Every structure is written in structure tokens, then in C-alpha cells.
Amino acid sequence: MEERDSGGLRRSLTGRQMSMIGLGGAIGTGLFLGSGLAISQAGPGTIIAYAICALVALVIAWALAEMVVVHPTAGAFGAIAHTYLGPWAGFVQRWTYWTIQVIAVGGEVIAAGIYVQFWWPSLPLWLPVVVFSVVVLAANAAAVTFFGTAEYWLSAVKVAAIIVFILLGLVLVFVGLPKAPPAGLANLTTHGGFLPHGLGGLFLAMVFVLFSYIGTEVVSITAAESADPVRDVPRAVRRMVLRLVLFYVLAIAIVLTVVPWTEISQDGTVTASPFVRVFAGAGIPAAAAITNFVVLTAALSSANTNLYLTTRMLHSLAQDGYAPARVGRLSRSGVPRDALVLSAVGLALAAIVSVAAADSAYVALFGVSIFGALVVWILILVTHWKFRRDRRAHGLPDSSVRLWGASVTVPLAILFLVAVTLSTPFIDGLQPAWEAGVPFFVLLSVAYLVVRRRHAAAAVARE
């Protein structure tokens, strides 16, 4: 099995920065804006959806930690898939992840534009999208130490805000405020009951909820730039997953307890963050404005982290000869800036879509990216299965990090993700996920065959 290194990237990130970057990638529009889409499917039962999907995210994150501790390499799970599943898997997984994260960056800046319209409803959406795109590009063009510090504090702001939100929400539920009587728990059972659309609605909500946890893979990608990956990766994964579970489940429970689920999302249409609606409904306009600023920060933080992911994936592909060699070059500060420029196509796409289809921009980008995201997760788990099998076959020692019950949890997680993937055609607005996903993978496989043939021809010519 071939060994890989950091690909020239500088090992400058600390454990604290890595854990916060992980949160930065995961806590974004999926929680603050996308939760409205899930709630439209399952109502108060969305709380269960978040809890179940948290377990799936835990399995994936811990499987990644187990592999990355052994292979703290540039390209993370994509490069590891190349080693254990073969070059096709490494090629497809990394290009797929690059594509979905490029789209995710666009989705985040569009969401940020929607949040700005909370204050200025008449502001054209394209204007904040362009401004935020420039800001995110500038942050990623700086040295990784600057990026890590900036992302640490951006994530710290939203983590602190979620804690305050949960505490204030508990007051609204059980104590009340001068202008808002205690909400109690009635909203969890009225308006159609806890599961207004039955188990079918709960399952369909999983698609939107899983999107909230996409981004937990970022910790594995930062391993190539970690000062001490063997020590820091397990710590970062543990902290990140525990915080995500706590924040997501409690925060969504607060939202659904304070505000009737029927008022959060109408027919799956997203118009504002459910978190902002909580405070606006409680008659606290100042708090609502502050919360809107926090979710705006969260969206920009997530966009910043996702752009980081795309540049590192593209750099890894160039290292293996599956992307132009130019995008594998590093600047004097150790940043793959050519890869950054190419990855910025997602921001350009966001600007175009925000002008052409402002009302449906977020859902359109979400639908295109979700299929690829689910396939990437499935490939990560398949890689983990092969990773363990091959290490046993070669008599190699176990990783210092071990996923508990992997012989059961990994197959169950794979089956769950496959089932969710197959359900996407039945969700309004997500039909493009399946319609675009299958042709995309066919084209990607054809592209791999072309690149592979060129590599073989070049090798023969050198001989």
C-alpha cells in the first residue's frame, strides 16, 4: 500500500483550530436555513431525524479519524480511497467532493444574501452574494495560519450564539418573558401531532437533515496541515461530533417548541431562518436582529471552510495527475492559489443563479449537490471496510483510533445512506438530485478512463 505525504502543504493548524474548522464546515445553512425544509416534511418529528442522522455522522467521522490517523495525507479520504479502492475510486470521490463543495459554497453565500435581506428586503440578492464572494476568496488566499485563526473565531461566535439561543429558548419554553408567555410543550403535539406526515415524512426529512451534517469530513482534510495529526485528529473529531449532536438536537427542539412547525416552513419554501423566527415571534426584535447577524456569520464561516475544502481536494488531484499540474502548485505562503481560483467557479455560479432564479436559488443548488454528497459518504464507509480488511491481511497494527462496532455500524450506515439516496426522487424540489447525479457519475467515469489512457500512453512514451 502506497504512502502519501502532505503534498507540500504546511503543518500549521492546531487541534483547537481543527475542531472549530470542523464546526465551521458543518454548522451553516444546513442548520440555520435548511432546517426549515426538513421541518416541512416531518414537523416536530424532525428532532428524531436530527438525532438519528447524528449517529450516522458519528460513524462516518470516527471511521475517517481511524483512517486519517494512519494516513494524514493531502486529499484525505479521497487519497485514502485511491490507496485501498483503486485510482477510479480516488478520482471519482475527490472530483465529486470538489463539485458538491463548490456548489455548497454558492449555496452558503446565497443564504448569506437572504439573511442580509432580513434588514433590507428590497436589496437585490446578487449584490451581497458578490460582496461576500470577494471576502471569502480573500480569506482563503492568505496563509493557512491566518485562515485557521479567522475560522476559529468565526466558528466560536456561532457556537457561543447557539449556546445563548438554547438557554434563552429554554426560558421562552418554561418561564416566558414579559411580552411572551411560556410556550410550554404544546407545539410538539398540536398542528397534526408529533409526526404529522407519519413515518414516511420522517424518513424523507432525513435527506435535508443529513445535509446539515455534511462538512464533518473537514477534520480529516485538515490532517495534512495539522501540526500533530495523530494527537489532534481524534480530539478534533470527538469535540466536533459531541458539539454538533448537542447543538443540533437541542437547537431544533427549541425551535419546534417555541414556534408552531406550520409557521416555520410553508410547502417547503424557505424565506428566513427558523432561528430568527423564534425571536421575532417572541416579540424581541433586537434579539432577532442579533440572531440574524449570527446566522449570517455562520453562513460565511461555512462558505469559507467549504472553499478551503475544494482547494485542498483539487490540490490532491493534481498531485496524482488527475487535475492540471498547475493547480497543484503552492504560493510562497503555502496556499494552492491556482486551485482556489478554479474552485471559485462556485461563487460565480451563485452570483448567476441569484440573478436568474433568486426565489429558488438555495433549493436548486441543494438538490444538485445532495446526491453526490451521499455517494461520497457511502464511498468513505466502503473505504473504511477495505482499510480494515487490508491491514489485517498484511498483518499491520490497528489504528490508534477505532470505530466501535464497525462490523455492524458501518454496514447499517451504508444501507441507511443508500435508502436515503433512493428516496430523493420522491421529494419536491430534489428531483434534480437524481436526474443530474447519475449522468454526472457516468461522465466522471468516462473522464477517468480518458485520463487513465493518457497516463498509460505517456508512460509508454517515456519508456
Side-chain angles (χ1 to χ4, degrees):
M1 293 176 290
E2 62 182 296
E3 292 295 332
R4 298 162 178 269
D5 57 25
S6 65
L9 299 173
R10 298 181 180 178
R11 295 192 179 277
S12 306
L13 294 176
T14 66
R16 292 196 313 161
Q17 289 174 334
M18 288 170 62
S19 60
M20 281 299 189
I21 290 171
L23 288 172
I27 300 179
T29 56
L31 174 63
F32 294 114
L33 187 60
S35 54
L37 298 170
I39 290 168
S40 70
Q41 297 291 334
T46 305
I47 299 170
I48 295 177
Y50 271 92
I52 292 174
C53 290
L55 297 176
V56 177
L58 175 61
V59 171
I60 294 169
W62 216 254
L64 275 172
E66 180 176 336
M67 295 187 292
V68 169
V69 165
V70 176
H71 303 287
T73 174
F77 50 84
I80 298 171
H82 181 106
T83 299
Y84 289 94
L85 299 181
W88 175 85
F91 179 92
V92 168
Q93 191 171 32
R94 280 176 286 184
W95 272 116
T96 300
Y97 196 71
W98 180 84
T99 302
I100 65 177
Q101 288 294 3
V102 158
I103 293 174
V105 172
E108 295 290 356
V109 292
I110 287 175
I114 292 174
Y115 295 147
V116 170
Q117 289 181 324
F118 176 83
W119 293 299
W120 298 289
S122 60
L123 188 71
L125 184 58
W126 66 266
L127 182 58
V129 165
V130 171
V131 172
F132 292 144
S133 297
V134 172
V135 171
V136 170
L137 277 169
N140 271 267
V144 71
T145 50
F146 175 83
F147 166 82
T149 300
E151 191 56 42
Y152 177 87
W153 289 111
L154 283 172
S155 297
V157 167
K158 58 186 175 185
V159 166
I162 293 174
I163 293 173
V164 172
F165 171 85
I166 291 173
L167 293 176
L168 184 55
L170 291 173
V171 172
L172 288 171
V173 172
F174 297 107
V175 180
L177 294 172
K179 295 184 179 181
L185 304 177
N187 284 329
L188 296 178
T189 54
T190 55
H191 308 288
F194 187 74
L195 287 172
H197 298 150
L199 294 177
L202 173 63
F203 182 77
L204 292 179
M206 299 290 186
V207 178
F208 298 104
V209 173
L210 276 174
F211 182 71
S212 299
Y213 290 101
I214 292 173
T216 53
E217 320 84 13
V218 66
V219 171
S220 72
I221 297 174
T222 61
E225 294 175 273
S226 167
D228 187 348
V230 174
R231 179 196 66 193
D232 292 339
V233 169
R235 289 181 182 178
V237 169
R238 182 166 55 251
R239 292 171 182 169
M240 180 192 65
V241 171
L242 289 176
R243 289 170 182 171
L244 281 178
V245 172
L246 180 66
F247 294 158
Y248 275 128
V249 177
L250 281 181
I252 291 298
I254 291 295
V255 168
L256 290 165
T257 304
V258 174
V259 181
W261 74 271
T262 52
E263 295 181 12
I264 295 174
S265 178
Q266 299 292 333
D267 299 324
T269 301
V270 181
T271 56
S273 166
F275 284 68
V276 174
R277 287 176 177 268
V278 166
F279 292 111
I284 316 173
I290 293 172
T291 304
N292 197 67
F293 171 77
V294 171
V295 296
L296 170 62
T297 303
L300 292 177
S301 168
S302 187
N304 193 38
T305 298
N306 289 337
L307 191 56
Y308 167 88
L309 299 179
T310 61
T311 59
R312 270 52 184 185
M313 276 294 168
L314 204 52
H315 170 266
S316 172
L317 282 160
Q319 294 293 306
D320 280 340
Y322 293 137
R326 184 179 181 84
V327 299
R329 298 174 185 172
L330 301 178
S331 67
R332 291 183 179 179
S333 58
V335 176
R337 287 183 178 168
D338 289 326
L340 174 63
V341 171
L342 185 56
S343 298
V345 66
L347 298 176
L349 175 63
I352 294 171
V353 172
S354 65
V355 173
D359 294 337
S360 59
Y362 176 77
V363 175
L365 290 174
F366 174 82
V368 172
S369 65
I370 189 64
F371 186 90
L374 290 167
V375 171
V376 165
W377 273 11
I378 292 168
L379 284 175
I380 288 173
L381 293 174
V382 173
T383 303
H384 178 266
W385 168 79
K386 189 69 162 46
F387 166 83
R388 279 202 173 183
R389 196 186 77 167
D390 284 8
R391 291 188 69 80
R392 284 195 302 266
H394 289 84
L396 298 173
D398 292 336
S399 171
S400 59
V401 178
R402 296 279 289 174
L403 171 61
W404 179 82
S407 60
V408 175
T409 55
V410 169
L412 285 178
I414 291 174
L415 289 174
F416 178 79
L417 292 172
V418 169
V420 170
T421 304
L422 294 176
S423 74
T424 56
F426 305 100
I427 303 176
D428 290 339
L430 292 186
Q431 286 83 0
W434 189 266
E435 295 168 357
V438 174
F440 172 77
F441 277 96
V442 171
L443 289 175
L444 207 54
S445 296
V446 171
Y448 166 76
L449 293 176
V450 172
V451 172
R452 189 73 172 174
R453 181 173 296 177
R454 288 181 178 177
H455 280 191
V460 171
R462 286 194 298 268
E463 294 177 357

